Amino acid sequence: MNAALEVLGVSSPCVVSVELDAGEHRRVDARRRPIYAPAETVSGTVSVRVKSGRPLAHRGIQIECVGFIDGLRGRRHTRQELLSVGLRCEEADVIPAGEVRRYPFAFVDIDKPYDTYDGINVRLRYAVRVTVQRPQPYHPIVEECDLAVQQATPPPDLNPSIRMEVGIEDVLHIEFEYSHSNFHLKDVVIGKIYFLLVRVKIKRMEIEIRRRENVRGLHSELETVAKYEVMDGAPVRGESIPVRLFLAQYPTLTPTYRSVAGVFTVKYFLNLVMIDEDDRRYWKQHEVFLWRDAKDMA
């Protein structure tokens, strides 16, 4: 798996690339990043190819494995470092024009404690970073290759069912239930909706999966990450509608995160929405707990 990118800028005399020892069978996430376990070794090879025409004078080349949380506070971007382990692979030198130098690396027994996360106001990243220090007045050449970290968690001890009602007096009365309230990321949400009183013309019903991201209690964002149509057409009193929602079809779902490094939390909700012929919306939501099972890692 190769993540090579030419460093931009007409004055850059070299191309830096990072090739991870990921292998053909390593899983990748929705952003095509190779997935590692929290304590797994990250290894590979860095290549520095000097362009033809002139040599590259540098003051040292360093390879790091880094992890950090990028957030947005007001209009300011913030960064909290989680991990920084470096290897000095070459001291100051001059690399002739046209030459390619390769530097194998391995970061062993480093703790990558949290899952990778890409949210609205916060992002948790891990990367292999290469820095080629250059003499003044030149800026260093920096290249990063992202990787993902995922870990399985044990199932919750209790998994109660969900049962709720939606009602408008003398107009609408609906009961709905889901078989349980905790789901792994490849689980199936199974439920049933009962129409006990219907005096309004419902034209459509859908289930939304909604995610609430809260950053340090200052920024709270609610987004709809999935929609599933349950019914198209008007129901009648006494009718019941089954629900089977396959979570595996939504690759952007993450586990519920109660607190990540004291910076952010992520919660999920199942939201039942009904739209009548006048486009009025009736809805009811309930929090659910999502977790990553070992079978989700297969």
Side-chain angles (χ1 to χ4, degrees):
M1 185 167 299
N2 187 274
L5 178 68
E6 183 167 342
V7 180
L8 300 178
V10 294
S11 63
S12 176
C14 70
V15 176
V16 178
S17 63
V18 181
E19 185 174 352
L20 298 174
D21 294 335
E24 296 181 0
H25 303 294
R26 182 176 292 274
R27 296 181 308 116
V28 296
D29 67 359
R31 298 191 175 210
R32 306 302 300 171
R33 296 172 296 198
I35 298 173
Y36 290 80
E40 188 175 358
T41 295
V42 178
S43 63
T45 303
V46 167
S47 299
V48 178
R49 177 175 63 83
V50 181
K51 299 177 184 178
S52 59
R54 59 192 176 109
L56 168 67
H58 67 82
R59 299 175 61 187
I61 299 175
Q62 180 169 292
I63 306 172
E64 300 170 275
C65 188
V66 296
F68 45 85
I69 300 175
D70 283 334
L72 183 65
R73 181 180 296 176
R75 295 185 177 180
R76 295 189 300 109
H77 288 273
T78 62
R79 171 165 290 187
Q80 178 170 321
E81 186 178 280
L82 301 174
L83 168 68
S84 181
V85 180
L87 301 171
R88 186 82 168 180
C89 56
E90 187 168 292
E91 298 299 331
D93 198 1
V94 177
I95 305 176
E99 183 171 314
V100 180
R101 292 191 181 178
R102 296 179 173 84
Y103 310 97
F105 64 87
F107 296 100
V108 183
D109 295 332
I110 58 172
D111 185 24
K112 304 175 286 296
Y114 305 108
D115 284 8
T116 306
Y117 176 74
D118 300 283
I120 298 175
N121 284 322
V122 66
R123 185 180 183 196
L124 196 154
R125 288 181 58 209
Y126 295 95
V128 173
R129 177 189 295 157
V130 183
T131 304
V132 181
Q133 296 289 348
R134 303 182 66 194
Q136 294 293 336
Y138 300 107
H139 293 293
I141 299 168
V142 180
E143 172 62 19
E144 291 185 349
C145 177
D146 276 27
L147 55 101
V149 173
Q150 293 181 359
Q151 55 187 314
T153 53
D157 295 331
L158 301 176
N159 199 354
S161 61
I162 299 173
R163 189 178 183 91
M164 292 188 295
E165 297 183 4
V166 177
I168 301 174
E169 188 174 358
D170 297 328
V171 175
L172 181 69
H173 186 191
I174 296 174
E175 290 182 355
F176 59 98
E177 60 182 26
Y178 302 114
S179 58
H180 45 282
S181 53
N182 303 317
F183 303 91
H184 63 78
L185 297 182
K186 291 187 178 179
D187 213 337
V188 183
V189 178
I190 298 175
K192 187 165 284 191
I193 302 166
Y194 303 94
F195 295 88
L196 305 180
L197 176 64
V198 184
R199 290 179 178 170
V200 61
K201 289 187 177 180
I202 303 294
K203 68 176 182 180
R204 190 171 77 254
M205 178 181 296
E206 58 193 20
I207 293 176
E208 298 175 338
I209 303 177
R210 311 185 82 182
R211 175 164 56 210
R212 181 176 294 279
E213 172 189 295
N214 189 283
V215 183
R216 296 189 188 274
L218 300 175
H219 300 284
S220 184
E221 297 283 353
L222 185 64
E223 62 175 324
T224 300
V225 295
K227 286 186 179 182
Y228 172 76
E229 188 171 82
V230 176
M231 182 197 69
D232 184 8
V236 297
R237 180 177 180 177
E239 189 172 359
S240 63
I241 304 293
V243 174
R244 289 182 66 86
L245 173 59
F246 292 84
L247 298 182
Q249 64 185 313
Y250 305 112
T252 60
L253 291 178
T254 71
T256 296
Y257 298 123
R258 296 302 189 195
S259 178
V260 177
V263 176
F264 68 93
T265 61
V266 178
K267 297 180 179 181
Y268 285 91
F269 302 85
L270 287 178
N271 189 34
L272 180 66
V273 182
M274 292 160 286
I275 300 96
D276 69 14
E277 61 181 358
D278 296 319
D279 288 328
R280 289 175 297 196
R281 294 166 61 91
Y282 310 88
W283 58 274
K284 188 83 169 183
Q285 74 177 16
H286 195 285
E287 184 178 357
V288 293
F289 182 84
L290 301 186
W291 53 286
R292 182 177 284 115
D293 190 24
K295 69 181 74 172
D296 299 336
M297 311 283 286

